């Protein structure tokens, strides 16, 4: 586990077996209990580059843990290009379950790997910013960062 400071707060990054398994916002960092693995350091560096507008794509591999449905949704999120947004409805359609809009929102909310699995790029059908566990101000910040 490693902590990474960003303009939107501290991220706690957890890696295992050369995969990132978790990246979550935390109130503060507890560096004395952190253990650093190569994959975590690599992702922390890439995350810093992302916030500095020097990186649009990440090279680390992910291995989130979730239900089959959640994994299916998260796989679709990984296909959303940098700087673009997609509606919850469109994600539901892409996974061949057009009535699962709320379930897609639930899967987004449970996304264990923020930024890398870009749940911030999913918006309401009307284009509104809705549903971001880190707070809508953070979602807006991330979308604005990617549009510049």
């Amino acid at each position: 586990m490693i902590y990474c400071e960003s303009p939107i707060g501290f991220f706690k990054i957890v890696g295992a077996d050369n995969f990132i398994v978790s990246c979550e916002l935390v109130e503060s960092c507890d560096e004395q209990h952190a253990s650093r693995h190569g994959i975590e350091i690599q992702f922390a560096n890439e995350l810093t580059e992302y916030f500095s507008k020097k990186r649009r794509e990440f090279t680390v591999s992910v291995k989130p843990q979730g239900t089959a449905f959640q994994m299916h949704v998260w796989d679709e999120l990984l296909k959303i290009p940098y700087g673009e947004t997609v509606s919850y409805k469109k994600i539901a359609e892409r996974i061949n379950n057009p009535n699962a809009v709320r379930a897609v929102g639930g899967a987004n909310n449970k996304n264990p790997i923020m930024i890398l699995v870009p749940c911030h790029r999913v918006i309401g059908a009307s284009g509104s910013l809705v549903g971001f566990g880190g707070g809508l101000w953070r979602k807006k910040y991330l979308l604005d960062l990617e549009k510049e």
Side-chain angles (χ1 to χ4, degrees):
M1 156 182 48
I2 190 172
Y3 292 90
C4 180
E5 188 173 3
S6 80
I8 62 170
F10 290 100
F11 286 98
K12 181 171 84 171
I13 300 167
V14 179
D17 301 323
N18 292 318
F19 293 97
I20 296 299
V21 297
S22 175
C23 177
E24 64 179 327
L25 283 164
V26 294
E27 291 298 316
S28 62
C29 64
D30 185 3
E31 284 291 334
Q32 75 184 82
H33 290 101
S35 63
R36 292 171 171 83
H37 297 286
I39 193 73
E40 296 166 347
I41 294 169
Q42 180 183 347
F43 181 51
N45 289 336
E46 290 184 8
L47 199 57
T48 299
E49 291 170 353
Y50 167 82
F51 281 107
S52 299
K53 300 181 187 177
K54 295 176 183 170
R55 176 173 295 277
R56 291 177 172 229
E57 295 180 12
F58 297 97
T59 64
V60 295
S61 298
V62 298
K63 196 173 197 177
Q65 299 295 311
T67 67
F69 179 82
Q70 289 170 335
M71 299 289 282
H72 198 46
V73 170
W74 300 334
D75 285 343
E76 279 303 314
L77 299 183
L78 288 168
K79 297 174 186 175
I80 305 170
Y82 180 96
E84 294 184 22
T85 57
V86 176
S87 70
Y88 292 92
K89 181 178 181 177
K90 183 58 89 176
I91 295 292
E93 291 168 355
R94 287 182 182 175
I95 63 169
N96 296 316
N97 198 342
N99 295 323
V101 175
R102 286 182 186 239
V104 166
N108 258 21
N109 187 48
K110 299 290 185 192
N111 174 16
I113 308 175
M114 293 181 73
I115 312 296
L116 187 64
V117 178
C119 56
H120 62 281
R121 296 180 188 154
V122 184
I123 59 174
S126 67
S128 60
L129 300 185
V130 295
F132 190 67
L136 291 181
W137 73 270
R138 286 184 173 109
K139 184 172 194 164
K140 182 178 181 336
Y141 182 95
L142 294 169
L143 293 176
D144 287 347
L145 174 78
E146 292 184 4
K147 285 184 180 174
E148 294 178 2

